Amino acid sequence: MYLKDNFTAYKTIVIKEILRFSRIWIQTIIPPAVTMGLYFVIFGQLIGSQLNDIDNYSYMDYIVPGLIIMSIITNSYSNVVSSFYSTKFHHHIEELLISPIANFTILAGYVSGGVARGLIVGVVVTLVSLFFTRIEIHSFAVTLLIAVLTATLFSLAGLINAIFAKSFDDISIVPTFVLTPLTYLGGVFYSIEMLPEFWQNISLFNPVLYMVNGFRMGMLGVSDASLLTAIMIIIGFILMLGSICLWLLHKGIGIKK
Amino acid sequence: MNALEIKNLRKTYSNGFEALKGVNLQIKQGDFFALLGPNGAGKSTIIGISCSLINKTSGNVIIHGHDLHKKPRQAKQHLGVVPQEFNFNVFEPIEEILVNQAGYYGIERQEAFKRAEIYLKQLELWDKRREMARNLSGGMKRRLMIARALMHHPKILILDEPTAGVDIEIRRTMWAFLQKLNQTGTTIILTTHYLEEAEQLCKNIAIIDQGNIIKDCTMNNLLSELEHECLVLNLKTSLKTVPQLEAYPASLIDEKTLEVQIKKNDSLNTLFQILTKLEIEVLSMRNKSNRLEQLFLDLVKKEHHVQQQGSSTGIVNVFKR
Ligand SMILES: Nc1ncnc2c1ncn2[C@@H]1O[C@H](COP(=O)(O)OP(=O)(O)OP(=O)(O)O)[C@@H](O)[C@H]1O
Ligand SMILES: [Mg+2]
């Protein structure tokens, strides 16, 4: 009974979340397609044609996985942060709080919503990339696994951001000052082997590097880090952020008076 | 068994304000209960804690025998809430708001759509089911929240000022709706500032003021506390001086309006006999205020008086020390 009720509640949140971003697809699905299209044109075609191959791939092909995973990261994060924050802001979070739903179900529901948006945008950006290049996917399973894990991780991060946010400004601070720099410096546009040794070592502390390279491993079969390390690191972060989320929900921090 | 039991409930908000100072309440199954009190008395705080929206400072809330703190899942299952402030997603169609709420209680979509149809029809919102909630009028939004609170068939329905901003006709139909619901066994608890509403609907009442329960009794007991009533008489001809009405104190508001105090058990016939004898013709008559309103004001005023005395002696004591 308990499990069945919570599964129904989980489905309800997921459907609600998917309907939410589908209803406003012009704000949620189209912008990343346009931005990434521009990246493909400018970096991939115009600038990339002047550059040497990296790991035997043309620059265009090299950056495609990076840009796809980058859009997965930003979109899963921003889906959860804006949806959960506005749920709080407009008080309809109370619908969840009064019901007997378990905190884990709330967490799973919102995170699945974020993963769904991340993956849909990922597919759309992949389709856009087909206008510029044809990549033969090295391992479909690894590609999907890294995509799902990364989207999960950033959905959790978005939820934490939303829980602490007190204004709409607070939900754009982290993406601007933390997420974007880490992603750009995480090897989306270059291989860290091109950096001086000191910066190579510094880069290894950037968790996003492992997601970008894990994903590139899946798509192209080349990577700056071992796949196993990448998977372990991502799962480690998921467990850590997931526990923090559950604790915050349990305490009602930022939610209950 | 009690539907809702509140034991020594206290709440101090994060800014240090003590909104509840040890509230005790017992509401029986099947009751129609009114929680009354002036603005800021703590009504919404009690409701907020009972439905897990506000963290209590101390005390217990027991819903159908389940302690809300220890067995939240069982306790919450029995409770439906219509809050004072609108708290639904205004960018969602209203039918979806209902179906989602049911989903959070584990009710499958198919069944939820059926229930939504029933309640939307009963509350006259069926034509609007595909509208975004923001396109509803204030009174419709309130009815939407009632429908939402009923989706999981709760045994207790708590309504925080359900008739605020609702027109007279809808208010009457809402009353009838709630009464019918109560007759089918649902315990109903409401707060209201319309004492007429409480008088018509409720079997038991509690009055809260400044975080304390100052009265907790049956509606009949409360009414029997009424000592006198003030009647306003509209006269046919002007009077220059206040007439002597024997045992009834009277005063003139203007030349054609007379106010008369009558005691609880005095008969009106005697009053009219006196008026007739004095050849004062009465065209119409009304109560000065709703009789409960006066009693309510007296109770709350008395309480403030007691508290002020208490606090001023407190200050004196500090000075003495
Ligand atoms: N979040 C909060 N932080 C601090 N004080 C609060 C908070 N919410 C309510 N209060 C205070 O607690 C007291 C009780 O508020 P509450 O909302 O329970 O009153 P109420 O009886 O519902 O009043 P009304 O009839 O106006 O709805 C008020 O003095 C109010 O200012
Ligand atoms: Mg209130």
Side-chain angles (χ1 to χ4, degrees):
Chain A
M1 199 60 198
Y2 174 65
L3 282 179
K4 191 174 156 287
D5 285 356
N6 269 286
F7 185 63
T8 308
Y10 166 77
K11 279 191 298 186
T12 307
I13 298 181
V14 177
I15 293 172
K16 182 185 74 149
E17 282 300 285
I18 292 177
L19 282 177
R20 188 196 75 91
F21 71 70
S22 314
R23 244 183 235 129
I24 48 171
W25 58 279
I26 297 191
Q27 296 167 45
T28 52
I29 310 292
I30 299 302
V34 173
T35 321
M36 292 305 149
L38 288 169
Y39 277 119
F40 290 140
V41 173
I42 296 168
F43 290 103
Q45 285 200 315
L46 299 179
I47 300 178
S49 59
Q50 312 286 315
L51 300 176
N52 298 329
D53 287 0
I54 306 176
D55 290 335
N56 296 325
Y57 279 98
S58 73
Y59 189 64
M60 179 71 181
D61 288 358
Y62 190 78
I63 62 170
V64 165
L67 290 173
I68 295 174
I69 196 80
M70 182 160 115
S71 20
I72 293 178
I73 289 175
T74 22
N75 281 279
S76 49
Y77 189 91
S78 67
N79 193 68
V80 179
V81 78
S82 51
S83 171
F84 198 77
Y85 180 69
S86 65
T87 304
K88 238 172 73 165
F89 183 78
H90 296 290
H91 297 289
H92 45 271
I93 190 150
E94 295 179 2
E95 294 178 343
L96 290 166
L97 297 179
I98 61 167
S99 71
I101 190 169
N103 288 332
F104 181 78
T105 311
I106 298 180
L107 180 66
Y110 276 89
V111 167
S112 303
V115 171
R117 160 112 165 255
L119 293 185
I120 288 174
V121 168
V123 168
V124 170
V125 172
T126 308
L127 293 177
V128 172
S129 79
L130 291 180
F131 287 105
F132 304 94
T133 182
R134 286 284 146 91
I135 290 176
E136 274 195 26
I137 293 186
H138 174 74
S139 158
F140 189 77
V142 172
T143 308
L144 188 67
L145 177 73
I146 300 283
V148 171
L149 287 178
T150 305
T152 306
L153 197 169
F154 283 95
S155 300
L156 289 166
L159 190 70
I160 296 179
N161 188 172
I163 288 177
F164 283 112
K166 292 204 159 59
S167 69
F168 276 102
D169 288 342
D170 294 346
I171 69 173
S172 59
I173 286 177
V174 180
T176 315
F177 294 103
V178 182
L179 218 53
T180 313
L182 283 183
T183 318
Y184 277 69
L185 298 172
V188 171
F189 295 104
Y190 54 80
S191 161
I192 59 167
E193 279 167 24
M194 297 156 76
L195 299 174
E197 202 181 324
F198 174 74
W199 289 107
Q200 277 191 30
N201 290 333
I202 293 278
S203 296
L204 293 177
F205 284 100
N206 177 359
V208 180
L209 180 94
Y210 298 92
M211 298 159 213
V212 172
N213 279 287
F215 195 69
R216 189 174 280 136
M217 184 70 183
M219 280 189 84
L220 305 180
V222 298
S223 168
D224 286 349
S226 98
L227 182 63
L228 192 66
T229 319
I231 292 176
M232 299 285 274
I233 288 180
I234 304 176
I235 291 182
F237 270 99
I238 289 177
L239 292 178
M240 186 178 77
L241 297 183
S243 323
I244 296 177
C245 282
L246 280 179
W247 183 80
L248 290 169
L249 288 174
H250 175 70
K251 286 281 163 194
I253 290 172
I255 296 173
K256 288 191 193 179
K257 283 180 250 172
Chain B
M1 192 172 46
N2 286 319
L4 178 67
E5 202 173 332
I6 291 173
K7 286 187 193 162
N8 206 15
L9 192 63
R10 289 175 183 272
K11 172 68 187 176
T12 307
Y13 280 106
S14 52
N15 62 0
F17 183 82
E18 193 180 14
L20 300 180
K21 301 168 181 163
V23 167
N24 289 294
L25 276 179
Q26 295 197 345
I27 297 166
K28 291 200 184 59
Q29 263 185 54
D31 201 353
F32 205 133
F33 190 93
L35 185 59
L36 308 175
N39 286 137
K43 303 180 295 293
S44 298
T45 305
I46 294 184
I47 292 176
I49 294 174
S50 306
C51 58
S52 333
L53 297 178
I54 300 177
N55 282 329
K56 67 188 178 187
T57 304
S58 66
N60 293 90
V61 175
I62 295 154
I63 299 167
H64 269 254
H66 304 290
D67 189 307
L68 183 61
H69 194 69
K70 294 185 199 125
K71 298 207 159 158
R73 197 163 53 82
Q74 289 89 334
K76 284 169 163 187
Q77 199 75 50
H78 296 302
L79 204 63
V81 185
V82 180
Q84 184 169 9
E85 319 260 344
F86 302 132
N87 68 342
F88 40 76
N89 186 351
V90 290
F91 298 107
E92 241 169 22
I94 67 171
E95 194 174 32
E96 245 160 74
I97 291 178
L98 299 187
V99 170
N100 286 341
Q101 181 74 75
Y104 302 152
Y105 286 85
I107 296 157
E108 294 286 349
R109 279 180 99 71
Q110 213 185 354
E111 167 68 16
F113 273 109
K114 279 187 213 151
R115 293 190 189 185
E117 180 175 349
I118 294 173
Y119 289 120
L120 286 173
K121 281 183 174 160
Q122 282 184 9
L123 289 155
E124 293 170 45
L125 289 169
W126 181 242
D127 295 343
K128 303 266 179 189
R129 66 189 177 280
R130 304 219 196 286
E131 291 274 349
M132 295 271 178
R134 66 178 162 161
N135 296 343
L136 299 184
S137 76
M140 292 175 189
K141 284 179 182 157
R142 238 166 241 295
R143 280 179 279 152
L144 168 62
M145 294 206 295
I146 296 183
R148 187 185 59 179
L150 292 171
M151 289 296 288
H152 63 290
H153 295 164
K155 293 198 175 110
I156 308 171
L157 180 65
I158 302 187
L159 307 105
D160 200 351
E161 296 187 31
T163 50
V166 171
D167 76 40
I168 299 170
E169 192 190 334
I170 303 278
R171 189 180 305 165
R172 307 259 156 181
T173 48
M174 220 188 252
W175 288 355
F177 180 79
L178 292 178
Q179 264 167 334
K180 217 161 94 194
L181 200 65
N182 180 242
Q183 277 155 14
T184 58
T186 310
T187 309
I188 297 186
I189 301 169
L190 60 78
T191 76
T192 178
H193 290 292
Y194 302 110
L195 294 174
E196 181 203 355
E197 180 167 297
E199 186 177 351
Q200 291 227 354
L201 296 173
C202 298
K203 299 174 197 157
N204 290 294
I205 65 136
I207 298 178
I208 178 170
D209 186 33
Q210 302 184 355
N212 292 307
I213 301 284
I214 57 172
K215 192 104 217 159
D216 183 3
C217 62
T218 66
M219 182 55 82
N220 285 338
N221 277 349
L222 185 73
L223 291 175
S224 69
E225 271 189 35
L226 289 167
E227 278 159 9
H228 50 71
E229 273 187 75
C230 187
L231 298 178
V232 180
L233 310 179
N234 291 322
L235 310 178
K236 190 166 184 186
T237 49
S238 306
L239 287 182
K240 291 277 168 318
T241 53
V242 183
Q244 291 302 314
L245 302 179
E246 301 178 13
Y248 304 93
S251 58
L252 267 178
I253 303 301
D254 60 47
E255 290 182 348
K256 287 190 172 178
T257 318
L258 187 66
E259 264 187 29
V260 184
Q261 301 268 350
I262 69 161
K263 289 214 189 66
K264 191 168 67 185
N265 291 324
D266 282 355
S267 115
L268 281 180
N269 295 36
T270 333
L271 173 64
F272 276 93
Q273 277 163 13
I274 299 168
L275 287 168
T276 315
K277 214 156 61 191
L278 295 175
E279 291 179 343
I280 299 173
E281 266 186 86
V282 178
L283 289 177
S284 67
M285 175 181 84
R286 63 182 170 85
N287 284 71
K288 184 173 178 193
S289 56
N290 178 293
R291 52 211 184 114
L292 258 182
E293 273 170 17
Q294 195 53 47
L295 180 63
F296 176 81
L297 288 175
D298 290 346
L299 274 168
V300 171
K301 207 155 59 191
K302 202 163 75 194
E303 179 70 15
H304 285 198
H305 190 64
V306 170
Q307 291 209 341
Q308 268 162 15
Q309 276 186 339
S311 63
S312 62
T313 49
I315 291 169
V316 172
N317 287 341
V318 170
F319 277 106
K320 274 182 187 160
R321 262 184 256 150

